[in-house]
Amino acid sequence: MGSTQTDPPSAGPRKVIVAGAQLGPVHVYTPLSETIERMIKLMDDGHQKQAKLIVYPEIAPVTFFPRHILEGDELEQYFDREVDGDPAKSPNLKPLFDRAREYKMDMYLGYAECTGDDHVHYNTAVYYSGQVDRVISKYRKVHLPGTFEPYASKDATNQLEKRYFKPGNLGFQAFRAPDLIPGAVTQKSGTKPNEPDTLGKGDPIMGMLICNDRRWPEAWREYGLQGVEVVLCGYNTTAWSPDLLGTSEKISTREKAKEEALFHNKLCVAYNSYANACFSINVAKCGVEDGKYPLIGGSCIVDCDGAVVVEASTEEDELIVAEIDLAMCRRGKEKVFAFERHRRIEHYGRIATQTGVVEPEFL
Ligand code: CDT
């Protein structure tokens, strides 16, 4: 039911069934082929449930390797390279793209990227459109948590993302997912975006984040300012790492620390979905990797009012599915968060010019 030159823009619901493919633990010794098989099984399940978009976790196909000190081939084994500039041809990842193509399913796929020409490492996610059968957007993680050097204590859980990745260099580019929603105004209908009669009626506007990015409102706002309707975010979030997260009485036990990590996850995605009037699909790799590294679950699809629509109940491979109606985004975008009427950019200068805190002078 695509639009034609003469179709009026659809004013009704903008519904689509979407899925988050949470993955249970992937250990150092787990063969890659086994994880890819698990991921494909989740996609099969999504197809059965009529999902048109599937979201996988951050660096989905392999263990969360930045917790280990690695070099040479031991490190390189975790990275994927594009072939002819196309991630869909990367031998390790190709089976996922092939199955998505078969189902005409859109896909957010997180993986560790090694660029072909200059051998730079990024923590990357790509968006494959099953409708046009190609990768239409790439995002490289901007906010890299943790440290470059390992912690002094040998019992510490490291998060060596600053060692293994360069900060993303692609910014926060929102993009349209062509034909994901029947009846949406498209390129083919001959109309232009940002006209009063097309606003909020076009092919859906998507944005990608990776894990730690979701804690930074600036990242969401970058997308909010492009009218984002769905933010996609895969994550690997440690449930216990006092060196990384600090300690306090409140989180003195492993159970309490995990509860807090789950709470912060939900807090970030719920508030930022609300404040940017968008849905978000947030997907974990979780459970205990290598018998000693716990990652939180809590994968969830959140609506544009900040309410959790569906949430994973396990720390294993689990598909969460929901039908979402993007027309719901209009209320927030046109009332409370009508940016063009209410934002006061003359007061936001520090946000884009200052990195660290500068405290006020003493009185
Ligand atoms: N992978 C990743 O970015 N993890 C970080 C760890 C915790 S830093 C508070 C995260 O933000 O979930």
Side-chain angles (χ1 to χ4, degrees):
M1 217 177 73
S3 294
T4 67
Q5 289 280 349
T6 51
D7 282 343
S10 154
R14 288 159 55 73
K15 290 188 182 173
V16 58
I17 299 176
V18 296
Q22 175 175 285
L23 285 173
V26 177
H27 309 292
V28 164
Y29 55 79
T30 307
L32 179 75
S33 56
E34 189 182 302
T35 314
I36 298 286
E37 242 174 67
R38 284 162 56 188
M39 293 170 74
I40 288 178
K41 192 160 171 284
L42 290 163
M43 196 190 293
D44 292 344
D45 189 9
H47 176 64
Q48 287 272 315
K49 293 178 172 134
Q50 296 177 28
K52 295 282 175 274
L53 163 64
I54 190 162
V55 178
Y56 289 108
E58 173 189 34
I59 315 181
V62 295
T63 196
F64 191 64
F65 65 86
R67 62 171 75 96
H68 302 294
I69 293 278
L70 300 163
E71 55 185 40
D73 288 349
E74 270 200 328
L75 176 64
E76 294 303 322
Q77 65 173 325
Y78 293 117
F79 285 82
D80 282 292
R81 286 155 191 77
E82 298 178 356
V83 175
D84 302 332
D86 186 357
K89 290 187 186 157
S90 162
N92 291 335
L93 308 176
K94 187 172 176 301
L96 290 161
F97 290 96
D98 288 347
R99 189 61 61 94
R101 178 176 307 114
E102 188 185 324
Y103 292 151
K104 278 191 134 203
M105 196 184 284
D106 286 19
M107 170 173 72
Y108 163 112
L109 178 63
Y111 65 100
E113 177 194 10
C114 178
T115 60
D117 39 0
D118 44 4
H119 203 89
V120 180
H121 290 166
Y122 294 104
N123 188 338
T124 296
V126 290
Y127 189 97
Y128 167 82
S129 163
Q131 307 303 312
V132 298
D133 184 21
R134 66 186 163 83
V135 169
I136 57 169
S137 190
K138 177 185 275 186
Y139 172 73
R140 289 171 172 155
K141 185 175 182 179
V142 166
H143 300 96
L144 299 175
T147 57
F148 186 91
E149 295 299 337
Y151 296 118
S153 155
K154 69 175 177 24
D155 295 330
T157 301
N158 287 300
Q159 180 99 15
L160 298 167
E161 291 195 54
K162 290 191 195 294
R163 186 183 194 90
Y164 296 138
F165 303 114
K166 284 263 179 291
N169 59 352
L170 301 175
F172 302 98
Q173 306 303 328
F175 58 94
R176 303 265 185 186
D179 294 327
L180 190 61
I181 289 186
V185 176
T186 70
Q187 175 84 348
K188 287 170 258 167
S189 51
T191 47
K192 289 203 169 70
N194 298 306
E195 300 291 338
D197 63 338
T198 59
L199 213 56
K201 294 171 187 161
D203 277 333
I205 303 172
M206 323 295 283
M208 293 190 279
L209 297 175
I210 301 178
C211 196
N212 192 256
D213 291 319
R214 73 196 187 290
R215 302 185 195 275
W216 300 93
E218 300 90 328
W220 292 78
R221 190 59 106 217
E222 278 286 320
Y223 285 130
L225 286 166
Q226 298 168 79
V228 75
E229 293 173 293
V230 193
V231 168
L232 317 172
C233 182
Y235 59 93
N236 283 272
T237 294
T238 182
W240 174 252
S241 178
D243 296 87
L244 177 69
L245 304 173
T247 49
S248 86
E249 256 175 45
K250 273 198 327 188
I251 55 161
S252 55
T253 65
R254 283 175 173 258
E255 290 68 32
K256 286 182 181 163
K258 181 169 161 182
E259 250 171 56
E260 186 189 69
L262 282 162
F263 168 69
H264 285 158
N265 174 55
K266 206 178 283 182
L267 180 70
C268 294
V269 299
Y271 175 68
N272 286 295
S273 298
Y274 163 66
N276 293 284
C278 64
F279 286 78
S280 64
I281 307 172
N282 309 283
V283 183
K285 176 143 68 58
C286 57
V288 181
E289 294 195 330
D290 295 324
K292 55 177 173 176
Y293 302 113
L295 296 168
I296 63 164
S299 301
C300 55
I301 298 175
V302 175
D303 76 17
C304 49
D305 300 314
V308 174
V309 178
V310 59
E311 186 174 356
S313 58
T314 70
E315 289 183 358
E316 293 158 17
D317 292 5
E318 178 178 346
L319 194 79
I320 54 171
V321 180
E323 182 177 63
I324 59 176
D325 182 357
L326 304 187
M328 276 174 65
C329 300
R330 296 319 302 166
R331 180 165 72 107
K333 289 188 192 301
E334 288 168 12
K335 299 286 183 187
V336 176
F337 295 109
F339 293 160
E340 69 285 2
R341 286 192 287 127
H342 305 308
R343 292 184 80 242
R344 288 289 166 215
I345 58 171
E346 65 273 30
H347 300 298
Y348 304 156
R350 284 188 195 89
I351 288 174
T353 55
Q354 182 180 317
T355 309
V357 171
V358 180
E359 293 186 351
E361 295 296 324
F362 291 116
L363 268 186

